[in-house]
mmCIF file of all heavy atoms in Angstrom:
data_model
loop_
_atom_site.group_PDB
_atom_site.id
_atom_site.type_symbol
_atom_site.label_atom_id
_atom_site.label_comp_id
_atom_site.label_asym_id
_atom_site.label_seq_id
_atom_site.Cartn_x
_atom_site.Cartn_y
_atom_site.Cartn_z
ATOM 1 N N LEU G 1 0.830 -1.242 0.015
ATOM 2 C CA LEU G 1 -0.057 -0.045 -0.021
ATOM 3 C C LEU G 1 0.832 1.278 0.019
ATOM 4 O O LEU G 1 0.814 2.109 0.928
ATOM 5 C CB LEU G 1 -0.999 -0.039 1.137
ATOM 6 C CG LEU G 1 -1.953 -1.225 1.210
ATOM 7 C CD1 LEU G 1 -2.852 -1.205 2.428
ATOM 8 C CD2 LEU G 1 -2.861 -1.269 -0.117
ATOM 9 N N ASP G 2 1.684 1.389 -1.039
ATOM 10 C CA ASP G 2 2.497 2.591 -1.289
ATOM 11 C C ASP G 2 3.550 2.875 -0.104
ATOM 12 O O ASP G 2 3.821 3.972 0.241
ATOM 13 C CB ASP G 2 1.725 3.815 -1.584
ATOM 14 C CG ASP G 2 0.905 3.661 -2.887
ATOM 15 O OD1 ASP G 2 1.432 2.953 -3.768
ATOM 16 O OD2 ASP G 2 -0.179 4.285 -2.890
ATOM 17 N N GLY G 3 3.949 1.735 0.560
ATOM 18 C CA GLY G 3 4.882 1.857 1.698
ATOM 19 C C GLY G 3 4.292 2.264 3.034
ATOM 20 O O GLY G 3 5.020 2.514 3.863
ATOM 21 N N CYS G 4 2.996 2.297 3.119
ATOM 22 C CA CYS G 4 2.330 2.704 4.334
ATOM 23 C C CYS G 4 2.150 1.554 5.355
ATOM 24 O O CYS G 4 1.992 1.851 6.445
ATOM 25 C CB CYS G 4 0.955 3.347 4.016
ATOM 26 S SG CYS G 4 1.064 4.896 3.145
ATOM 27 N N VAL G 5 2.163 0.374 4.880
ATOM 28 C CA VAL G 5 1.756 -0.801 5.639
ATOM 29 C C VAL G 5 2.822 -1.874 5.548
ATOM 30 O O VAL G 5 3.299 -2.127 4.487
ATOM 31 C CB VAL G 5 0.419 -1.385 5.237
ATOM 32 C CG1 VAL G 5 -0.035 -2.586 6.033
ATOM 33 C CG2 VAL G 5 -0.676 -0.253 5.386
ATOM 34 N N LEU G 6 3.116 -2.577 6.642
ATOM 35 C CA LEU G 6 3.929 -3.806 6.592
ATOM 36 C C LEU G 6 2.997 -4.919 6.742
ATOM 37 O O LEU G 6 2.103 -5.064 7.589
ATOM 38 C CB LEU G 6 4.895 -3.860 7.871
ATOM 39 C CG LEU G 6 6.023 -2.830 7.820
ATOM 40 C CD1 LEU G 6 6.960 -3.053 9.070
ATOM 41 C CD2 LEU G 6 6.882 -2.859 6.589
ATOM 42 N N LEU G 7 3.220 -5.929 5.864
ATOM 43 C CA LEU G 7 2.375 -7.226 5.822
ATOM 44 C C LEU G 7 3.344 -8.236 6.282
ATOM 45 O O LEU G 7 4.383 -8.540 5.741
ATOM 46 C CB LEU G 7 1.898 -7.541 4.393
ATOM 47 C CG LEU G 7 1.339 -8.925 4.215
ATOM 48 C CD1 LEU G 7 -0.079 -8.997 5.003
ATOM 49 C CD2 LEU G 7 1.038 -9.115 2.758
ATOM 50 N N GLU G 8 2.861 -9.011 7.315
ATOM 51 C CA GLU G 8 3.572 -10.204 7.772
ATOM 52 C C GLU G 8 2.796 -11.446 7.312
ATOM 53 O O GLU G 8 1.591 -11.497 7.499
ATOM 54 C CB GLU G 8 3.677 -10.142 9.393
ATOM 55 C CG GLU G 8 4.194 -11.448 9.916
ATOM 56 C CD GLU G 8 3.997 -11.483 11.528
ATOM 57 O OE1 GLU G 8 3.227 -10.708 12.050
ATOM 58 O OE2 GLU G 8 4.685 -12.303 12.102
ATOM 59 N N GLU G 9 3.625 -12.428 6.873
ATOM 60 C CA GLU G 9 3.022 -13.685 6.475
ATOM 61 C C GLU G 9 3.893 -14.835 7.076
ATOM 62 O O GLU G 9 4.979 -14.959 6.734
ATOM 63 C CB GLU G 9 3.083 -13.783 4.877
ATOM 64 C CG GLU G 9 2.249 -12.819 4.257
ATOM 65 C CD GLU G 9 2.404 -12.785 2.702
ATOM 66 O OE1 GLU G 9 3.332 -12.201 2.233
ATOM 67 O OE2 GLU G 9 1.582 -13.385 2.042
ATOM 68 N N TYR G 10 3.283 -15.467 8.064
ATOM 69 C CA TYR G 10 3.996 -16.377 8.983
ATOM 70 C C TYR G 10 3.431 -17.803 8.632
ATOM 71 O O TYR G 10 2.231 -18.020 8.572
ATOM 72 C CB TYR G 10 3.839 -16.038 10.427
ATOM 73 C CG TYR G 10 4.473 -16.943 11.366
ATOM 74 C CD1 TYR G 10 5.924 -16.903 11.523
ATOM 75 C CD2 TYR G 10 3.851 -17.865 12.096
ATOM 76 C CE1 TYR G 10 6.617 -17.674 12.429
ATOM 77 C CE2 TYR G 10 4.504 -18.728 13.019
ATOM 78 C CZ TYR G 10 5.926 -18.599 13.167
ATOM 79 O OH TYR G 10 6.598 -19.440 13.985
ATOM 80 N N LYS G 11 4.306 -18.794 8.597
ATOM 81 C CA LYS G 11 3.904 -20.186 8.397
ATOM 82 C C LYS G 11 4.827 -21.165 9.242
ATOM 83 O O LYS G 11 6.031 -20.870 9.353
ATOM 84 C CB LYS G 11 4.080 -20.594 6.910
ATOM 85 C CG LYS G 11 3.168 -19.858 5.960
ATOM 86 C CD LYS G 11 3.395 -20.282 4.504
ATOM 87 C CE LYS G 11 2.482 -19.447 3.597
ATOM 88 N NZ LYS G 11 2.675 -19.889 2.187
ATOM 89 N N THR G 12 4.260 -22.189 9.718
ATOM 90 C CA THR G 12 5.039 -23.182 10.381
ATOM 91 C C THR G 12 5.039 -24.512 9.616
ATOM 92 O O THR G 12 4.180 -24.750 8.841
ATOM 93 C CB THR G 12 4.478 -23.424 11.830
ATOM 94 O OG1 THR G 12 3.279 -24.188 11.768
ATOM 95 C CG2 THR G 12 4.276 -22.156 12.568
ATOM 96 N N PRO G 13 5.965 -25.421 9.942
ATOM 97 C CA PRO G 13 5.938 -26.680 9.342
ATOM 98 C C PRO G 13 4.804 -27.508 9.701
ATOM 99 O O PRO G 13 4.492 -28.482 8.957
ATOM 100 C CB PRO G 13 7.322 -27.386 9.895
ATOM 101 C CG PRO G 13 8.129 -26.245 10.370
ATOM 102 C CD PRO G 13 7.165 -25.138 10.811
ATOM 103 N N THR G 14 4.139 -27.239 10.793
ATOM 104 C CA THR G 14 2.933 -28.059 11.177
ATOM 105 C C THR G 14 1.646 -27.504 10.539
ATOM 106 O O THR G 14 0.559 -28.042 10.875
ATOM 107 C CB THR G 14 2.759 -27.979 12.763
ATOM 108 O OG1 THR G 14 2.594 -26.560 13.160
ATOM 109 C CG2 THR G 14 4.017 -28.616 13.353
ATOM 110 N N GLY G 15 1.718 -26.442 9.759
ATOM 111 C CA GLY G 15 0.436 -25.975 9.088
ATOM 112 C C GLY G 15 -0.136 -24.761 9.743
ATOM 113 O O GLY G 15 -1.102 -24.128 9.160
ATOM 114 N N TYR G 16 0.317 -24.359 10.886
ATOM 115 C CA TYR G 16 -0.174 -23.067 11.484
ATOM 116 C C TYR G 16 0.284 -21.985 10.591
ATOM 117 O O TYR G 16 1.507 -21.922 10.190
ATOM 118 C CB TYR G 16 0.390 -22.958 12.933
ATOM 119 C CG TYR G 16 0.022 -21.630 13.545
ATOM 120 C CD1 TYR G 16 -1.312 -21.377 14.020
ATOM 121 C CD2 TYR G 16 0.922 -20.595 13.572
ATOM 122 C CE1 TYR G 16 -1.622 -20.170 14.666
ATOM 123 C CE2 TYR G 16 0.554 -19.408 14.185
ATOM 124 C CZ TYR G 16 -0.700 -19.176 14.660
ATOM 125 O OH TYR G 16 -1.001 -17.954 15.268
ATOM 126 N N GLN G 17 -0.584 -20.946 10.444
ATOM 127 C CA GLN G 17 -0.191 -19.788 9.672
ATOM 128 C C GLN G 17 -0.993 -18.603 10.184
ATOM 129 O O GLN G 17 -2.190 -18.694 10.611
ATOM 130 C CB GLN G 17 -0.304 -19.978 8.100
ATOM 131 C CG GLN G 17 -1.620 -20.458 7.599
ATOM 132 C CD GLN G 17 -1.503 -20.756 6.181
ATOM 133 O OE1 GLN G 17 -1.022 -20.010 5.335
ATOM 134 N NE2 GLN G 17 -1.943 -21.917 5.704
ATOM 135 N N GLY G 18 -0.410 -17.402 9.955
ATOM 136 C CA GLY G 18 -1.062 -16.177 10.314
ATOM 137 C C GLY G 18 -0.510 -15.034 9.539
ATOM 138 O O GLY G 18 0.520 -15.102 8.908
ATOM 139 N N LYS G 19 -1.209 -13.918 9.585
ATOM 140 C CA LYS G 19 -0.888 -12.667 8.894
ATOM 141 C C LYS G 19 -1.144 -11.485 9.811
ATOM 142 O O LYS G 19 -2.062 -11.482 10.578
ATOM 143 C CB LYS G 19 -1.609 -12.552 7.606
ATOM 144 C CG LYS G 19 -1.231 -13.605 6.614
ATOM 145 C CD LYS G 19 -1.908 -13.393 5.239
ATOM 146 C CE LYS G 19 -1.547 -14.531 4.289
ATOM 147 N NZ LYS G 19 -1.906 -14.295 3.017
ATOM 148 N N SER G 20 -0.293 -10.460 9.581
ATOM 149 C CA SER G 20 -0.570 -9.183 10.324
ATOM 150 C C SER G 20 -0.428 -8.063 9.404
ATOM 151 O O SER G 20 0.322 -8.099 8.451
ATOM 152 C CB SER G 20 0.298 -9.115 11.545
ATOM 153 O OG SER G 20 1.679 -8.733 11.191
ATOM 154 N N LEU G 21 -1.166 -6.989 9.749
ATOM 155 C CA LEU G 21 -1.023 -5.697 9.077
ATOM 156 C C LEU G 21 -0.510 -4.790 10.152
ATOM 157 O O LEU G 21 -1.032 -4.753 11.282
ATOM 158 C CB LEU G 21 -2.348 -5.188 8.548
ATOM 159 C CG LEU G 21 -2.886 -6.005 7.418
ATOM 160 C CD1 LEU G 21 -4.295 -5.526 6.982
ATOM 161 C CD2 LEU G 21 -2.069 -5.933 6.108
ATOM 162 N N ASN G 22 0.521 -3.978 9.773
ATOM 163 C CA ASN G 22 1.217 -3.124 10.731
ATOM 164 C C ASN G 22 1.299 -1.719 10.177
ATOM 165 O O ASN G 22 1.706 -1.558 9.028
ATOM 166 C CB ASN G 22 2.595 -3.589 11.068
ATOM 167 C CG ASN G 22 2.622 -5.017 11.565
ATOM 168 O OD1 ASN G 22 2.573 -5.191 12.765
ATOM 169 N ND2 ASN G 22 2.554 -5.973 10.683
ATOM 170 N N ILE G 23 0.883 -0.690 10.920
ATOM 171 C CA ILE G 23 0.947 0.673 10.357
ATOM 172 C C ILE G 23 1.173 1.728 11.512
ATOM 173 O O ILE G 23 0.722 1.406 12.699
ATOM 174 C CB ILE G 23 -0.396 1.093 9.591
ATOM 175 C CG1 ILE G 23 -0.249 2.426 8.898
ATOM 176 C CG2 ILE G 23 -1.590 0.974 10.532
ATOM 177 C CD1 ILE G 23 -1.283 2.712 7.865
ATOM 178 N N PHE G 24 1.880 2.714 11.184
ATOM 179 C CA PHE G 24 2.032 3.836 12.163
ATOM 180 C C PHE G 24 0.704 4.673 11.966
ATOM 181 O O PHE G 24 0.379 5.122 10.885
ATOM 182 C CB PHE G 24 3.176 4.696 11.867
ATOM 183 C CG PHE G 24 3.339 5.862 12.755
ATOM 184 C CD1 PHE G 24 3.738 5.663 14.075
ATOM 185 C CD2 PHE G 24 3.089 7.139 12.367
ATOM 186 C CE1 PHE G 24 3.830 6.787 14.980
ATOM 187 C CE2 PHE G 24 3.216 8.208 13.193
ATOM 188 C CZ PHE G 24 3.590 8.003 14.468
ATOM 189 N N ASN G 25 0.076 4.983 13.091
ATOM 190 C CA ASN G 25 -1.245 5.763 13.066
ATOM 191 C C ASN G 25 -0.835 7.130 13.444
ATOM 192 O O ASN G 25 -0.477 7.493 14.613
ATOM 193 C CB ASN G 25 -2.173 5.218 14.113
ATOM 194 C CG ASN G 25 -3.450 5.979 14.082
ATOM 195 O OD1 ASN G 25 -3.603 7.079 13.626
ATOM 196 N ND2 ASN G 25 -4.505 5.318 14.629
ATOM 197 N N LYS G 26 -0.693 8.008 12.447
ATOM 198 C CA LYS G 26 -0.229 9.388 12.630
ATOM 199 C C LYS G 26 -1.136 10.177 13.631
ATOM 200 O O LYS G 26 -0.585 10.970 14.392
ATOM 201 C CB LYS G 26 -0.154 10.113 11.287
ATOM 202 C CG LYS G 26 0.605 11.445 11.348
ATOM 203 C CD LYS G 26 0.838 11.945 9.979
ATOM 204 C CE LYS G 26 1.813 13.049 9.873
ATOM 205 N NZ LYS G 26 2.120 13.575 8.557
ATOM 206 N N ALA G 27 -2.408 9.899 13.601
ATOM 207 C CA ALA G 27 -3.375 10.562 14.468
ATOM 208 C C ALA G 27 -3.087 10.293 15.955
ATOM 209 O O ALA G 27 -3.114 11.219 16.806
ATOM 210 C CB ALA G 27 -4.725 10.213 14.197
ATOM 211 N N SER G 28 -2.761 9.042 16.291
ATOM 212 C CA SER G 28 -2.533 8.712 17.688
ATOM 213 C C SER G 28 -1.036 8.761 18.048
ATOM 214 O O SER G 28 -0.731 8.690 19.198
ATOM 215 C CB SER G 28 -3.051 7.283 17.979
ATOM 216 O OG SER G 28 -2.341 6.343 17.264
ATOM 217 N N GLY G 29 -0.218 8.680 17.007
ATOM 218 C CA GLY G 29 1.276 8.671 17.302
ATOM 219 C C GLY G 29 1.741 7.250 17.758
ATOM 220 O O GLY G 29 2.813 7.120 18.374
ATOM 221 N N LYS G 30 0.941 6.231 17.481
ATOM 222 C CA LYS G 30 1.251 4.913 17.893
ATOM 223 C C LYS G 30 1.280 3.958 16.723
ATOM 224 O O LYS G 30 0.676 4.246 15.676
ATOM 225 C CB LYS G 30 0.157 4.372 18.861
ATOM 226 C CG LYS G 30 -0.116 5.197 20.045
ATOM 227 C CD LYS G 30 0.871 4.774 21.129
ATOM 228 C CE LYS G 30 0.528 5.529 22.404
ATOM 229 N NZ LYS G 30 1.424 5.282 23.489
ATOM 230 N N TRP G 31 1.975 2.855 16.877
ATOM 231 C CA TRP G 31 1.995 1.749 15.868
ATOM 232 C C TRP G 31 0.838 0.895 16.199
ATOM 233 O O TRP G 31 0.430 0.700 17.394
ATOM 234 C CB TRP G 31 3.293 1.032 15.987
ATOM 235 C CG TRP G 31 4.324 1.562 15.079
ATOM 236 C CD1 TRP G 31 5.260 2.530 15.453
ATOM 237 C CD2 TRP G 31 4.580 1.269 13.720
ATOM 238 N NE1 TRP G 31 6.066 2.905 14.419
ATOM 239 C CE2 TRP G 31 5.705 2.089 13.286
ATOM 240 C CE3 TRP G 31 3.988 0.373 12.807
ATOM 241 C CZ2 TRP G 31 6.158 2.044 11.995
ATOM 242 C CZ3 TRP G 31 4.534 0.328 11.523
ATOM 243 C CH2 TRP G 31 5.524 1.121 11.141
ATOM 244 N N HIS G 32 0.165 0.276 15.187
ATOM 245 C CA HIS G 32 -0.935 -0.666 15.351
ATOM 246 C C HIS G 32 -0.689 -1.895 14.548
ATOM 247 O O HIS G 32 -0.126 -1.859 13.406
ATOM 248 C CB HIS G 32 -2.165 0.077 14.812
ATOM 249 C CG HIS G 32 -3.411 -0.782 14.914
ATOM 250 N ND1 HIS G 32 -4.129 -0.889 16.028
ATOM 251 C CD2 HIS G 32 -3.925 -1.645 14.005
ATOM 252 C CE1 HIS G 32 -5.102 -1.773 15.867
ATOM 253 N NE2 HIS G 32 -5.048 -2.232 14.625
ATOM 254 N N GLN G 33 -0.990 -3.011 15.200
ATOM 255 C CA GLN G 33 -0.911 -4.339 14.448
ATOM 256 C C GLN G 33 -2.138 -5.028 14.643
ATOM 257 O O GLN G 33 -2.777 -5.154 15.796
ATOM 258 C CB GLN G 33 0.200 -5.252 15.039
ATOM 259 C CG GLN G 33 0.313 -6.531 14.342
ATOM 260 C CD GLN G 33 1.373 -7.474 14.911
ATOM 261 O OE1 GLN G 33 1.087 -8.289 15.793
ATOM 262 N NE2 GLN G 33 2.648 -7.408 14.427
ATOM 263 N N THR G 34 -2.700 -5.630 13.575
ATOM 264 C CA THR G 34 -3.856 -6.556 13.612
ATOM 265 C C THR G 34 -3.355 -7.951 13.102
ATOM 266 O O THR G 34 -2.800 -7.983 12.061
ATOM 267 C CB THR G 34 -4.963 -6.041 12.772
ATOM 268 O OG1 THR G 34 -5.465 -4.811 13.243
ATOM 269 C CG2 THR G 34 -6.122 -7.034 12.761
ATOM 270 N N TRP G 35 -3.385 -8.918 13.999
ATOM 271 C CA TRP G 35 -2.899 -10.248 13.669
ATOM 272 C C TRP G 35 -4.116 -11.214 13.585
ATOM 273 O O TRP G 35 -5.032 -11.078 14.470
ATOM 274 C CB TRP G 35 -1.982 -10.683 14.842
ATOM 275 C CG TRP G 35 -1.732 -12.200 14.742
ATOM 276 C CD1 TRP G 35 -2.362 -13.164 15.410
ATOM 277 C CD2 TRP G 35 -0.698 -12.901 13.977
ATOM 278 N NE1 TRP G 35 -1.887 -14.378 15.125
ATOM 279 C CE2 TRP G 35 -0.899 -14.312 14.208
ATOM 280 C CE3 TRP G 35 0.226 -12.482 13.088
ATOM 281 C CZ2 TRP G 35 -0.083 -15.217 13.626
ATOM 282 C CZ3 TRP G 35 1.001 -13.437 12.453
ATOM 283 C CH2 TRP G 35 0.940 -14.837 12.810
ATOM 284 N N THR G 36 -4.149 -12.020 12.630
ATOM 285 C CA THR G 36 -5.180 -13.094 12.503
ATOM 286 C C THR G 36 -4.476 -14.340 12.054
ATOM 287 O O THR G 36 -3.406 -14.315 11.423
ATOM 288 C CB THR G 36 -6.230 -12.755 11.423
ATOM 289 O OG1 THR G 36 -5.643 -12.500 10.198
ATOM 290 C CG2 THR G 36 -7.009 -11.478 11.879
#
């Protein structure tokens, strides 16, 4: 997304996997991560 967001894609040998979206929220001055 034009360098605004970091996408994490995680996988294990046992089949577990997850993803996160990470962004700096300029309005709050904080980093935010949503993991699923």
